[in-house]
Structure formats: C-alpha cells, structure tokens
Amino acid sequence: MIRFESVTKRYPDGTTAVDDLSLEVPRGGITVFVGPSGCGKTTSLRMINRMVEPTEGRILINDEDVADRKPARLRRSIGYVIQHAGLFPHRTVLANVMTVPTLIGWDKGRARTAAMEAIEKVGLTADQASRYPAQLSGGQQQRVGVARALASDPEVVLMDEPFSAVDPLVRTDLQNEVRRLQRELGITVVLVTHDIDEAISLGDHVAVMRQGGHLAQLASPGELLTEPADDFVASFVGKDRGYRKLGFTETQVEADPERTVSLGEDVPAGRGWVLVADEQEQPLGWVDRQGSGGPVQEEELHRMGSLAEVGDSARVFLDAALSAPSGRGVVVQDGRVVGTVTPERVLEAIRAQGGSDG
Amino acid sequence: MIGGVAWSTVGDLLLRHIYLAGVPLLLGLLISLPLGWLATRYRWLAPPMIAGTGLLYTIPSLALFILLPLLLGTRVLDDANVLVAMTLYSVALLTRTVADGLGSVPGATRQAATAMGYGELRRTFVVDLPLAVPVITAGLRVAAVSNVSIVSVAALIGVSQLGQLFTEGFNRNDMGPIFVGIGACVVLALVLDAGIALLSRVLTPWLRAGVAR
Amino acid sequence: MISLTWQWLVDPATWTGPGGIISQSITHLRISLVALLLAALVAVPVGLFIGHTGRGRWLAINLAGAFRAIPSLGVLFVATLLLLPRLSGNLAFELPVVLVLVLLAVPPVLSGTYAGVEAVDPAARDAARGVGMTEAQILWQVELPAALPLLLSGLRSAMLQIIATATIAAIVGIGGLGRYLIDGQASRQYEVMAGGAIVVALLALLVDLVMAGLQRLVVSPGLVVAKEH
Ligand SMILES: Nc1ncnc2c1ncn2[C@@H]1O[C@H](COP(=O)(O)OP(=O)(O)OP(=O)(O)O)[C@@H](O)[C@H]1O
Ligand SMILES: [Mg+2]
C-alpha cells in the first residue's frame, strides 16, 4: 500500500539519512520502523507525508506518487502523531481534534461530531474534551494526539515515537489502545520507535534499519526473532531473543488435571501445595498443606502467580509455571481452572515443536 | 570643536552623564539583589514585589524629575533628584531580573549545595549568584542603555549632561550640537553595553568552556 | 505645596475646557495610540516573519539594541527642526513627535512578537505542518495565537514608554499632559507641574490596566493555564 522505491535522502549538510531504501508497507496492520538512534527512521516516516522531500526515488501510496499531490492536501489525508503530542496549547481538546476535519472543509457540526467520536474512541471523556492541553497529563495529551490523527478517518496513520515520553505503565496502556484501534478501524499504521521490545510486541511487520538509512530486515516479529537476517539484526534484537521468541510460539501445552479445594474445606497435612478455587472454579490462590492440616483459611492463601489462558503463547505458559509458588502454573479457560502445567511440561511442548521453527 | 561644540565641553558633559547614569545603575543593582533574593526566597512576595517595582516604570521621567524635589525637599537643580529617579528606574528593571536569575538556578544544583552543608546565605553567594550572572547581566545591559537615554531628559529641568546639547541646539535652531549629543549618548550606551557583556563573560568562564567543546 | 497641588487637582476648572486635563488627556492618548498603531503595523509583521522563518533574527536583535540606545529627546529635536519648516498646521508639530514615539515603540513590539513566535512549542509547529496546515494557516492559527501573550506584553511596555515620552513632546509645542509640566515650569507654578505629573502617571497606569484587561480577553485560557504549570 505504501511503497518506497529506491528512496534516498541527503540533507543539505551532506548527511545521508536514508540510502536507497526500498520496501513495501502492507495494507492494514502496524508496520514498525525500528533501529538505533539516527539511523533515518524519522526521515523515512516524514517522507511519506512530504514533511521531508526525498533526494532520489519515489514513494507511492496506493500506486500514486506522493510527489504528485499538494503537500498540505496529502497531509490532511494522513494521520500524524508525534512524540510530545504537539497539541495546540491555545485550543481546547475538542478544537485540537477538530483541526483536520475543519481543514478539509467539513461543516462545524460534522467536524464536531467526528471529533467527539474520536475523543471517545481513544478513551477520553466528554468532560475532558472541553479542557485545554495543559490541564491534561502527558498520557492523556498523547491520547488527544491520537484522536486528532483519527478524527477525519484517514486510511494511513504515521506515528513517530508516540509513546516514548510517557511512563512505562501509561505506555503499555497506550500501546494496547493503538493496537485495538488499528484492529477496530482497519487502518494502516506506520510507527517509528527505537525500542525493539515495543516493535516486537506491537508490530505486525517490523522493518529493522541500521545506521545510514539501510533496511536490514523486514519481517514479522516471530521471524525476526527466529531468523535474524544478519549479525546486526541478531544483536539488535537482543540476547534473550530465544526467550522472547516464545511469545510468538503458539504451543499446544497439555494441562495436567488439578483437583481444587474450596475455602473452609478440611485438607489433611502431607498434601503439599493445594489450589483453592471458588464455587465457579475461579482460582483464588495456593495453600501449603505439607507440614500441618486443617480447614483452609482465607488468610493463609499464597498469591497465585500469573495465569495462562488456553491458546496463549509458550512464553505465557512458562511464566505461569515459573511464577507459581507450587511450581505448577494455573491454566484457565474463560476464568475457570482447567488444570496446571509444570515448567518441564512447557519445555517438552516447546521441544516437540522445536523442529519446525529452528 | 565638533559640531560647534568644544571638545572639552563634550568631555565634561559626558563625564556628568556617566555619573548620573552609572551611579544609579550600581545603586539599583545593590538594592535589587536583596529584593530579588527575597522574591525568590519567599514565593508569595514575588508577584506584589515585581508588580510594585514595575509600577515605578509607569511614572514618566520628566514627571519624576519634577516631583522628587517636592517629596525629598531637595532643590530643583540638585543632582540628587536625578540620581534618585534613575535609581528607582534601575530597581524597577533589575528586581525582576535578579529574581528571574536566581530562579533560573537548577533545583538539583541548589539541593546538592545544601546537602553538602552550605548555609542558606553562603550558598546564595557562592552558588546561586554566580550561576545567575548571565541573566542578571542581561538585565543590567538593558538598564544601562535605557538609563543613558532617560538621563538626557533631565536637561529639560536644567540638570547638565549630554542632554544639554539637545536643548541648546534646539533653542539655537542648530542641529550640530544635537547630533554631537546623540552620537555621544549612543556611543556611551554601546560602550556600557559591551562593557557589561564583557564583564559577564569574565565572570562566567564555565559557559565558554561549554561552547568550546 | 501638597495642599496646593491637591487644590489644583480638585478644581473643576483644571479638568474642563480647551486646556483642561480631560482634553489634554485625549490629545495625549490620541498621539500615543497613533504611534502605537504605526509601530505595531511595522513591527508585528516583521516580528512574525522573523519568528516564523528564523531569518533576520540577528539583525533584529542588534537593530533593536541600537534603537534603544538612541535618546528620544535628541531625535525629537532633530525631527522637529527638520520637519517644522517643511510642513504646516498641526501635522508639522505632531508628525515629529509621532515619529519619535514610533521609533521608541518598535523595539519592544518587534522583540515581543518574534520572541512569542519563537517560544511556540516546536512540536506544535511540527504537528500543525504534519496535519496539513499551509504556512499561512500555521502562522495565523497556531503561531500568532500562541505568541499573543508575549506580543501583547511587548505592546504594553511599548505603550508605557510612549505615554511617558509623549510628555516630553510638549517641549516642542504640542498638546498633551506634558503641557502642565513644561508650562508649569515656565511660570514657576509647581502645583501645576506636580499635578500634571500625577495625572500622567495615573493615565499610564489606567491604560496599562485596560491593556491588561484586553490581554486577558484575547489570550486563550489554555495558554494561561499552561504558564501556571
Ligand atoms: N534537518 C536535518 N539536517 C541535517 N541532518 C539531519 C536532519 N534531520 C536529520 N538529520 C540527520 O539524518 C540522520 C537520520 O536522522 P533521523 O531523524 O531520521 O534519525 P532517527 O532514526 O529518527 O533517530 P532518532 O531515533 O534519534 O529519532 C541523522 O544522522 C541526523 O543527524
Ligand atoms: Mg526520530
């Protein structure tokens, strides 16, 4: 859908920011440009909406050369989100989000409706719509930035390090939000980041770039982890890529049956770790019945560890097994306990599948 | 002779001008330092103090030159009137500058100094003030230039300095002395400006080190 | 002395009539406003250009500095001596004064304007371009509104200087509140000088308050909140 054809960008001072880049961003999904600082990610992104003009080569959107379109017109048809949101401080949130609909000439009522919809989509309230940017937190401002990019229903949204200025918790929230919006609206998102973890967890396609604006590899996150094209990609992806790869390995882990007990039930000593669940078979916690027996009290419950849902990746299963005090990870389906897995069982399943993806 | 004025006359008037514009500048700085410090130390003091000193600036210079003899009980031609008026204007400009300058010292630097055991007063002198030098000297330059211009107005009430060349030339319908006066004022203002800029450079060697790197 | 001044100030005759405070204040304000308007007409577009393009900044800073160093009184006399014989009527007296006042007001308005535009968050400017605003739209819809606080501060301080300096203009024979200072001095009526001085200061204060009110009206509340944070 977006095609770079031998695109080169040399800045007037002689820096070659992007060198002979050819790649295709598929329609739909999230394509991430990732690479070390200064490798030309931002430059590549900004050439799509002509914020930067290529020195050589061309960029096509739906087979149409962007150079043939008026820059302002082109940009109005493409969403644009940047690191510090770049909200207009003198306009309310609503007016900020109405910017593009107004620019493309929608009447006020329609622009307003579209803006309010976008504001709700990104999880802000109508009350917040009448505030000014300075009255919002950094994360909320970034949401407004996303809403402003979505208000006129663009097909393509460009995002340049949209989450790097917010704290990690908010970042995860925003990442999930963007992923959900992308799926819901079916838009094509091109996102720039220097954080390989973000690229892998968020991208459907990841373009790893290296210094000097060369494309090192364009692949799905799973492929990137299992088959890095060269040493640069391998080292950029990181030392624990083997472990992270598990996040993309759908493994059929057979859960062992686990008998649960309910609160107040008398459990004799010598049973070891026992899983406690409520009447709906929803797990409550673990209780230690090795040394002493007796009725299960709520106060003695140990925290659960993470849960694995049937169909989750091998990484989630392994994490559940490793984080449970009993050494048995709890597997649930629709919130109800279906059994537990030991680390050994997870590894067995991974090994059984190992042949297929190296 | 230059423009129909004896060089020695220009020299004398220039010295008077320097005296009338320069002394108040120094006095103004001396008064503004504690005022600005108070405004940064006690935040609630800042708005009324800056608004108050700013008010001084709304009083036209001619009016102040005329009113001060009444308030101070001085004679109309007394230099003291001009000195006090110019000091007030300098304070009006500099209090805000000093407060801004002290406020521009990074909080981390301040806390580090306190943590190392500097007392408040000592820290102000050895840490805060040096770091505030660039901001304060920037304000000082503006004040110096505007003082030079304002002092010349005192010629209208008969206090002699370069402005006297303006009134004389005007009364004689002769532009020669006026141009000499303007030229001398501009040169004086620019020299003071450059001098303070230089002083600021000498006082802040660490800033140059940063640029050279 | 103080009581004499007070008597002069509360005497209705002081206020009314052709040479009264009210009519002199109107003259004073008229000249001041014309000067401010002309200065803004020159300085605001130039300031916007410098702020928007970043070009000519160095020249503007140095020119403004040099302008400040020029003593208004000297320029007033030169302009009067030059223009008085060549013009006639009211204009002959007022034009030199307005000229001097414009010269005085240009530096603060100019630097206020470009500083205001320069202070606009680069991210906001980048976003404006990125969502498809034309350069003119960026200037009018983003940079100008966001620059208003500093621009208006520049106008306010220019106006204070204009009002104060317009007082001096009485020396070349035009109307305005300066008349009380100059005429009072000539006739050794100190209560008139003192009263006039007080009135000028009050006028300056009043105008500044009005402009502060206007500033509050036209500056977006979003910028006020932003400043508090
Ligand atoms: N306007 C410009 N003029 C000159 N050189 C530039 C300009 N913009 C970027 N560069 C240079 O081009 C190269 C690529 O810059 P770019 O901003 O695209 O990198 P990036 O991958 O986005 O880096 P980061 O992760 O730090 O944002 C860098 O070496 C940079 O210094
Ligand atoms: Mg970048």
Side-chain angles (χ1 to χ4, degrees), chain A residues 11 13 15 17 36-43 161 194:
Chain A
Y11 282 108
D13 66 356
T15 317
S37 182
C39 71
K41 309 177 293 284
T42 297
T43 303
E161 311 243 4
H194 57 253

Side-chain angles (χ1 to χ4, degrees), chain C residues 63-143:
Chain C
L63 268 184
F67 265 44
R68 281 202 184 96
I70 300 174
S72 305
L73 188 63
V75 182
L76 175 66
F77 285 163
V78 169
T80 307
L81 289 182
L82 277 178
L83 292 174
L84 204 51
R86 290 173 177 76
L87 300 169
S88 58
N90 239 353
L91 192 67
F93 289 96
E94 288 190 3
L95 191 65
V97 172
V98 169
L99 211 77
V100 171
L101 297 181
V102 169
L103 227 57
L104 184 77
V106 162
V109 180
L110 182 66
S111 54
T113 307
Y114 78 64
V117 176
E118 272 178 2
V120 174
D121 179 9
R125 192 177 292 137
D126 184 67
R129 197 161 284 139
V131 298
M133 287 192 184
T134 61
E135 293 303 305
Q137 284 169 331
I138 294 173
L139 189 61
W140 289 116
Q141 298 184 21
V142 179
E143 289 176 335

Side-chain angles (χ1 to χ4, degrees), chain A residues 46 49 51 71-73 75-76 78-80 82 84-91 99-100 103 132-136 148, chain C residues 121-135 137 141-143 145-146 220-223 225-227 229:
Chain A
R46 288 160 67 96
N49 68 353
M51 297 284 279
R73 285 269 174 83
R75 290 173 198 153
R76 288 170 198 173
I78 298 176
Y80 186 64
I82 54 177
H84 292 285
L87 301 181
F88 308 137
H90 61 292
R91 291 188 177 171
T99 303
V100 183
L103 282 174
Y132 285 96
Q135 295 167 314
L136 299 178
R148 183 173 60 183
Chain C
D121 179 9
R125 192 177 292 137
D126 184 67
R129 197 161 284 139
V131 298
M133 287 192 184
T134 61
E135 293 303 305
Q137 284 169 331
Q141 298 184 21
V142 179
E143 289 176 335
S220 157
L223 295 169
V225 188
K227 206 178 144 204
H229 277 222

Side-chain angles (χ1 to χ4, degrees), chain C residues 21-227:
Chain C
I21 290 179
I22 292 178
S23 104
Q24 297 291 30
S25 295
I26 291 174
T27 309
H28 202 110
L29 272 181
R30 178 172 53 79
I31 294 171
S32 301
L33 278 175
V34 168
L36 185 70
L37 212 72
L38 288 176
L41 235 46
V42 177
V44 171
V46 175
L48 288 179
F49 175 82
I50 294 172
H52 183 74
T53 62
R55 267 184 285 174
R57 187 169 177 274
W58 183 87
L59 191 72
I61 290 178
N62 287 287
L63 268 184
F67 265 44
R68 281 202 184 96
I70 300 174
S72 305
L73 188 63
V75 182
L76 175 66
F77 285 163
V78 169
T80 307
L81 289 182
L82 277 178
L83 292 174
L84 204 51
R86 290 173 177 76
L87 300 169
S88 58
N90 239 353
L91 192 67
F93 289 96
E94 288 190 3
L95 191 65
V97 172
V98 169
L99 211 77
V100 171
L101 297 181
V102 169
L103 227 57
L104 184 77
V106 162
V109 180
L110 182 66
S111 54
T113 307
Y114 78 64
V117 176
E118 272 178 2
V120 174
D121 179 9
R125 192 177 292 137
D126 184 67
R129 197 161 284 139
V131 298
M133 287 192 184
T134 61
E135 293 303 305
Q137 284 169 331
I138 294 173
L139 189 61
W140 289 116
Q141 298 184 21
V142 179
E143 289 176 335
L144 186 61
L148 270 187
L150 285 180
L151 196 165
L152 293 175
S153 296
L155 280 179
R156 272 171 71 182
S157 79
M159 192 59 172
L160 281 183
Q161 291 179 44
I162 286 178
I163 291 181
T165 308
T167 320
I168 301 168
I171 195 81
V172 298
I174 72 160
L177 293 170
R179 287 256 61 86
Y180 297 114
L181 304 184
I182 304 296
D183 297 346
Q185 195 188 17
S187 59
R188 310 220 158 257
Q189 285 177 287
Y190 288 108
E191 71 277 10
V192 175
M193 293 167 73
I198 292 170
V199 174
V200 182
L202 286 180
L203 182 72
L205 207 64
L206 193 72
V207 170
D208 194 49
L209 275 178
V210 170
M211 290 180 79
L214 283 179
Q215 187 165 5
R216 195 167 271 208
L217 274 184
V218 299
V219 169
S220 157
L223 295 169
V224 181
V225 188
K227 206 178 144 204

